[in-house]
């Protein structure tokens, strides 16, 4: 996809780093405190790194978001308070810095937003590193091995499909001293398993106020959607052009006592489009309707000058208001609501785009069923992995495993070095089947396809592929018996091969029936076929047969009573797919699986000699007069002719009879109606026949 390049600029001091040792469960920040007099407030000294969304990504976000009415975790609407500050919650992590790394998207969406929302779901404090989500984890899985900007869409995919590792397991180290800082995928079983416990159940896009001047006071309804989520205890992330922000300070005014709590704090008063754009991802943590900033500098309080959102940034606690900044509601207007002709509105632009909210998975919503894969390679950029499930009815679902798709990183190993190294990954099988169960692992056909896309000096070794059911402590081994090396080719590892590829037929008809069949284009069973098994499993059917189809998808069959009486649909036979079907009275009924439902009507006739049947199926067209000749038959005593009519998906048939010489029996112009199944007809009387 086309990406807008982002300039990653020099940090405030390259020595400022964050260290979260894996051996400690406390948060340590190794940084030199800068006196206020030495602080520069220019954004030129900080990393940014949010990518502007492509049209394809915008469409993906719109199509895959959850709808609010489907979000069971959202409580009923609340009454909005005048002010909300979720950064004061125990769920919110300490302000920290991305330094000169272009990782703001992961800092906003993972370090702040995911940490807060996971802790909120678990009601735990963000006071230890194991309770804080690592921005380095998601950044390295989305940056293609480089210090570059990343897309919010890719981060959403990581959090939805793989989850978030915590800072205890993936600490943020000094990128100047760590040669694998940008490249390591932290591919150990323990890290990838634990990451699965912090995943998104869904996300949704939050509307940005539109129009030239949607906001004229803190009470405007255009602010309601953002306020709603903040007021119910969520925080939101957004993308902005931070180089276009203009800053002011909050001053005292006797008419606005609320300002006294925030005197001299920084507040954004406008956002102009005539300056250089620096795409940056940040987090909205609260709002205050009573804050006032003197936008037009007249010393008077206007409604349009009141109210602001509280924004958390990832540039350290020395930036602006100890790492936060206020952004006035009026900044959202393309044309200011403040009455002052001197204000230049021609260059204004909105500071908010692509606002995203999260719904995280509750503890009992995690499947705990994984594909566990161990690979060895020095060139992970050529590795692709996909996982598929084929159910008993032949339905196949497939998922291309993240991050093994598209441009998946630099040419290096999984640990970020340039030597062959093992990587162990766990992929949640709910990515393939959202309702995956232990029964699905036991009965369905699963395949893990691993590909090396380039035939070169770097081969890929597949060491282990398993399906793991942590919930029930069960491990399934596939047909990979030894380590396998591939180079420019694919390897498919199968589980439960053919187990789900079956046809189950429930039967009602002859007593002690046989089924005579062939699978695909194979050979027929020896006459009279194989006996069917007595069953009471399915109401209305007394017999059952399960047929293994192997790699085929259809079985052709007919039935007999072992005494020379056959039901073969007049030699056409019946067809069944992969799945479960019921058969009675010439009708194939699909219970589950591919639709092979097919009805037929059998009419045993007494009346005219050499009769014809003139009919229409359902609401279809009539046959051409005089109709179709009926066949001589001795199957039913007293009935000398027979006709089997295939109804397809229709269930009724209208008919009349004649002798081919102009003599008709059409029920005095009303015709006769037959359902599917077998009937006798004599002297205008229709009777259902049961075998």
């Amino acid at each position: 996809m086309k990406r807008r390049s982002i300039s990653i600029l020099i940090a405030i001091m390259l020595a400022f780093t964050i260290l979260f040792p894996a051996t400690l469960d406390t948060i340590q920040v190794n940084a030199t405190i800068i006196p206020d007099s030495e602080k520069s407030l220019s954004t030129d000294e900080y990393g940014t790194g949010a990518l502007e969304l492509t049209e394809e990504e915008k469409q993906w976000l719109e199509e895959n978001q959850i709808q609010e009415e489907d979000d069971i975790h959202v409580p009923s609407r609340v009454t909005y308070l005048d002010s909300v500050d979720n950064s004061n919650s125990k769920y919110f992590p300490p302000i920290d810095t991305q330094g000169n790394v272009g990782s703001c998207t992961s800092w906003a969406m993972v370090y702040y937003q995911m940490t807060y929302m996971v802790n909120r779901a678990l009601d735990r404090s963000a006071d230890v590193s194991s309770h804080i989500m690592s921005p380095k984890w998601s950044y390295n899985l989305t940056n293609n091995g480089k210090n570059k900007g990343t897309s919010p869409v890719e981060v959403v995919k990581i959090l939805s499909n793989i989850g978030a590792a915590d800072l205890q397991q993936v600490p943020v180290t000094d990128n100047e001293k760590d040669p694998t800082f940008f490249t390591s995928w932290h591919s150990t079983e323990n890290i990838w398993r634990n990451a699965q416990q912090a995943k998104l159940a869904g996300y949704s896009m939050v509307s940005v106020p539109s129009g030239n001047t949607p906001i004229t006071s803190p009470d405007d309804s255009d602010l309601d959607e953002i306020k709603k989520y903040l007021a119910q205890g969520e925080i939101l992330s957004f993308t902005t052009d931070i180089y276009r922000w203009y800053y002011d300070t909050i001053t005292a005014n006797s008419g606005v006592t609320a300002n006294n709590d925030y005197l001299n704090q920084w507040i954004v008063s406008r956002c102009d489009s005539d300056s250089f754009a620096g795409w940056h991802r940040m987090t909205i943590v609260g709002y205050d309707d009573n804050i006032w900033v003197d936008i037009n500098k007249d010393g008077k309080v206007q409604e349009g000058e009141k109210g602001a959102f509280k924004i958390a940034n990832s540039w350290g606690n020395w930036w602006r208001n100890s790492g936060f900044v206020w952004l006035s509601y009026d900044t959202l207007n393309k044309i200011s609501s403040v009455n002052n002709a001197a204000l230049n509105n021609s260059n204004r632009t909105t500071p908010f785009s692509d606002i995203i909210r999260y719904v995280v998975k509750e503890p009992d919503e995690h499947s705990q069923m994984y594909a566990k894969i161990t690979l060895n390679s020095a060139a992970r950029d050529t590795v692709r992995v996909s996982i598929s499930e084929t159910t008993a009815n032949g339905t196949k679902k497939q998922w291309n495993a993240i991050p093994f798709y598209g441009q998946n990183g630099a040419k290096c190993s999984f640990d970020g070095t340039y030597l062959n190294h093992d990587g162990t990954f766990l992929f949640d099988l709910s990515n393939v089947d959202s309702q995956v169960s232990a029964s699905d692992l036991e009965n369905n056909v699963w395949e893990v396809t691993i590909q090396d896309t380039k035939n070169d000096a770097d081969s890929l070794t597949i060491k282990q592929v398993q399906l793991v059911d942590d919930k029930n402590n069960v491990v399934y081994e596939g047909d990979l018996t030894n380590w396998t090396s591939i180079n420019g080719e694919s390897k498919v590892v199968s589980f439960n091969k053919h187990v789900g590829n079956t046809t189950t037929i429930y039967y009602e008809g002859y007593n002690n029936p046989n089924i005579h069949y062939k699978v695909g284009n194979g050979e027929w069973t020896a006459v009279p076929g194989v006996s069917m098994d007595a069953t009471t499993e399915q109401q209305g059917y007394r017999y059952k047969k399960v047929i293994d189809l192997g790699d085929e998808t259809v079985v052709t069959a007919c039935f007999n009573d072992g005494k020379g009486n056959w039901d073969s649909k007049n030699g056409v036979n019946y067809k069944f797919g992969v799945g479960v079907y019921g058969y009675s009275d010439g009708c194939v009924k699909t219970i589950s699986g591919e639709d092979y439902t097919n009805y037929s009507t059998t009419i045993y006739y007494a009346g005219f000699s050499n009769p014809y049947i003139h009919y229409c199926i359902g609401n279809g067209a009539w046959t051409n007069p005089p109709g179709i000749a009926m066949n001589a038959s001795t199957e039913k005593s007293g009935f000398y002719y027979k006709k089997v009519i295939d109804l397809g998906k229709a269930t009724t048939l209208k008919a009349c009879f004649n002798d081919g010489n102009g003599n008709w029996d059409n029920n005095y112009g009303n015709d006769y109606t037959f359902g599917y199944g077998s009937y006798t007809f004599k002297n205008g009387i229709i009777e259902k026949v049961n075998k």
Side-chain angles (χ1 to χ4, degrees):
M1 293 185 179
K2 183 179 178 182
R3 296 281 193 245
R4 179 170 180 165
S5 62
I6 305 298
S7 298
I8 308 300
L9 305 174
I10 301 174
I12 191 167
M13 289 185 66
L14 295 180
F16 293 175
T17 60
I18 312 167
L19 179 60
F20 301 101
T23 57
L24 298 178
D25 201 30
T26 57
I27 303 172
Q28 299 182 5
V29 178
N30 296 338
T32 304
I33 303 301
I34 306 175
D36 287 346
S37 60
E38 296 179 21
K39 290 181 184 176
S40 169
L41 298 175
S42 167
T43 57
D44 292 349
E45 296 175 342
Y46 301 96
T48 52
L51 291 182
E52 186 177 11
L53 296 183
T54 65
E55 290 304 315
E56 292 87 349
E57 288 177 320
K58 290 178 182 178
Q59 182 177 353
W60 187 91
L61 284 174
E62 288 294 329
E63 291 177 350
N64 290 280
Q65 67 178 325
I66 58 174
Q67 302 300 317
E68 184 176 344
E69 56 267 26
D70 297 332
D71 179 5
I72 61 173
H73 303 310
V74 175
S76 58
R77 289 185 174 243
V78 298
T79 301
Y80 304 143
L81 303 173
D82 287 345
S83 64
V84 170
D85 189 351
N86 293 321
S87 67
N88 289 329
S89 166
K90 68 178 182 180
Y91 311 136
F92 193 78
I95 289 290
D96 239 314
T97 181
Q98 68 190 86
N100 67 331
V101 180
S103 55
C104 66
T105 302
S106 284
W107 277 87
M109 300 180 71
V110 179
Y111 179 83
Y112 289 128
Q113 192 175 11
M114 194 65 176
T115 293
Y116 178 92
M117 294 301 292
V118 169
N119 287 337
R120 177 174 175 261
L122 299 175
D123 193 26
R124 68 183 188 186
S125 300
D127 55 357
V128 291
S129 58
S130 59
H131 293 180
I132 298 177
M133 304 299 106
S134 172
K136 187 172 183 288
W137 158 264
S138 55
Y139 182 59
N140 283 21
L141 292 172
T142 56
N143 67 1
N144 290 330
K146 301 174 183 177
N147 185 0
K148 57 175 286 187
T150 53
S151 166
V153 169
E154 298 305 315
V155 173
V156 166
K157 290 179 179 179
I158 292 295
L159 296 178
S160 300
N161 295 280
I162 299 176
D166 62 56
L167 277 174
Q168 181 175 324
Q169 292 193 309
V170 184
V172 179
T173 54
D174 184 349
N175 64 289
E176 295 297 318
K177 297 178 181 178
D178 181 359
T180 66
F181 183 91
F182 300 108
T183 53
S184 175
W185 278 0
H186 310 98
S187 50
T188 67
E189 178 179 350
N190 189 39
I191 292 176
W192 277 67
R193 174 176 270 105
N194 288 344
Q196 308 286 342
Q197 306 311 308
K199 292 178 67 177
L200 291 184
Y203 71 92
S204 63
M205 306 300 295
V206 180
S207 299
V208 178
S210 60
N212 289 329
T213 313
I215 313 301
T216 58
S217 78
D219 297 325
D220 270 320
S221 60
D222 291 275
L223 298 169
D224 282 355
E225 186 172 3
I226 300 176
K227 284 184 177 180
K228 175 184 69 175
Y229 296 119
L230 296 170
Q232 64 189 26
E234 300 182 28
I235 65 175
L236 311 170
S237 63
F238 68 99
T239 298
T240 189
D241 303 337
I242 196 167
Y243 284 102
R244 297 172 174 176
W245 288 14
Y246 282 73
Y247 300 89
D248 211 326
T249 56
I250 297 174
T251 58
N253 186 290
S254 59
V256 189
T257 58
N259 272 25
N260 295 334
D261 294 332
Y262 309 111
L263 291 180
N264 299 316
Q265 288 195 15
W266 293 97
I267 185 169
V268 179
S269 59
R270 63 184 294 146
C271 184
D272 279 11
S273 60
D274 60 348
S275 57
F276 179 76
W279 294 103
H280 191 48
R281 193 88 182 160
M282 305 175 79
T283 315
I284 310 173
V285 297
Y287 67 87
D288 193 321
D289 289 343
N290 300 310
I291 289 179
W292 169 73
V293 57
D294 193 6
I295 293 175
N296 61 6
K297 307 303 180 188
D298 65 356
K300 299 177 182 179
V301 178
Q302 298 183 42
E303 279 296 290
E305 295 176 324
K306 293 176 66 176
F309 291 108
K310 188 175 183 180
I311 310 297
N313 197 8
S314 52
W315 288 349
N317 57 15
W318 50 83
W319 181 80
R320 300 298 176 181
N321 309 325
S322 300
F324 299 92
V325 71
W326 294 99
L327 187 143
S328 67
Y329 294 159
D330 188 68
T331 307
L332 277 62
N333 292 323
K334 293 180 181 178
I335 298 177
S336 175
S337 69
V338 179
N339 184 21
N340 189 320
L343 288 173
N344 181 5
N345 289 309
S346 61
N347 294 319
R348 288 172 63 102
T349 187
T350 181
F352 288 165
S353 66
D354 307 321
I355 304 176
I356 296 176
R357 64 175 288 263
Y358 289 164
V359 177
V360 299
K361 284 194 172 182
E362 302 288 350
D364 61 351
E365 294 179 320
H366 298 283
S367 80
Q368 299 183 53
M369 299 178 188
Y370 312 107
K372 177 184 171 184
I373 303 171
T374 299
L375 307 172
N376 182 285
S377 176
R380 74 184 187 208
D381 59 318
T382 63
V383 180
R384 302 290 183 269
V385 176
S386 65
I387 306 170
S388 69
E389 173 196 25
T390 303
T391 61
N393 63 15
T395 300
K396 184 174 183 178
K397 302 175 183 178
Q398 181 170 310
W399 176 67
N400 295 323
I402 296 172
F404 290 105
Y405 74 107
Q407 295 181 345
N408 61 344
K411 183 181 179 181
C412 60
S413 188
F414 308 114
D415 67 343
T417 66
Y418 296 93
L419 300 174
N420 281 74
H421 195 275
D422 283 359
T424 297
F425 307 89
L426 267 77
F427 299 108
D428 191 337
L429 295 179
S430 68
N431 293 316
V432 184
D433 180 352
S434 62
Q435 303 298 319
V436 66
S437 66
S439 176
D440 295 326
L441 267 64
E442 181 72 28
N443 298 313
N444 294 341
V445 177
W446 293 82
E447 292 182 335
V448 177
T449 302
I450 301 170
Q451 181 184 17
D452 181 355
T453 62
K454 189 175 182 181
N455 189 346
D456 55 15
D458 297 301
S459 61
L460 170 66
T461 300
I462 305 169
K463 291 190 170 183
Q464 185 182 59
V465 182
Q466 296 176 324
L467 299 185
V468 181
D469 180 355
D470 278 354
K471 184 178 294 185
N472 298 292
N473 197 28
V474 179
V475 176
Y476 297 88
E477 301 288 349
D479 57 6
L480 182 73
T481 56
N482 297 295
W483 290 6
T484 301
S485 291
I486 58 176
N487 197 340
E489 55 189 334
S490 296
K491 171 65 178 177
V492 179
V493 181
S494 298
F495 299 80
N496 300 328
K497 184 71 172 175
H498 303 325
V499 170
N501 220 21
T502 62
T503 294
T504 299
I505 302 171
Y506 290 96
Y507 176 87
E508 178 56 46
Y510 298 119
N511 292 321
N512 302 313
N514 297 312
I515 180 171
H516 180 48
Y517 68 89
K518 68 174 182 177
V519 174
N521 293 317
E523 297 294 327
W524 284 86
T525 56
V527 176
V530 296
S531 61
M532 303 189 76
D533 305 310
T535 182
T536 58
E537 292 174 357
Q538 196 78 19
Q539 186 175 2
Y541 302 95
R542 292 181 294 153
Y543 299 93
K544 169 188 175 182
K545 193 65 183 177
V546 179
I547 301 172
D548 188 349
L549 302 187
D551 288 326
E552 299 295 339
T553 59
V554 65
V555 59
T556 306
C558 55
F559 308 91
N560 66 85
D561 64 358
K563 300 176 182 179
N565 298 308
W566 286 79
D567 177 3
S568 63
K569 200 178 181 180
N570 274 3
V572 176
N573 300 311
Y574 300 96
K575 291 187 181 297
F576 304 85
V578 177
V580 181
Y581 302 88
Y583 171 85
S584 67
D585 285 336
C587 168
V588 175
K589 180 181 179 182
T590 301
I591 298 173
S592 68
E594 186 177 353
D595 189 5
Y596 271 83
T597 298
N598 190 281
Y599 298 93
S600 67
T601 297
T602 300
I603 301 173
Y604 296 96
Y605 178 86
F608 296 118
S609 297
N610 302 315
Y612 290 80
I613 181 171
H614 179 47
Y615 64 87
C616 73
I617 298 170
N619 294 318
W622 285 82
T623 57
N624 293 323
I628 309 298
M630 301 187 76
N631 308 110
S633 172
T634 58
E635 290 180 12
K636 291 289 181 185
S637 177
F639 298 86
Y640 309 107
Y641 298 92
K642 169 187 173 183
K643 192 64 182 178
V644 178
I645 301 172
D646 191 345
L647 303 184
K649 297 294 187 292
T651 58
T652 60
L653 169 80
K654 285 186 177 181
C656 56
F657 306 90
N658 66 88
D659 64 359
N661 296 313
N663 298 306
W664 287 78
D665 176 3
N666 61 8
N667 195 20
Y668 302 101
N670 296 314
D671 302 312
Y672 297 97
T673 299
F674 298 84
Y676 62 87
S678 298
Y679 300 85
T680 59
F681 177 88
K682 184 176 182 180
N683 296 327
I685 298 174
I686 300 172
E687 292 186 356
K688 186 76 182 288
V689 175
N690 294 315
K691 285 190 175 68

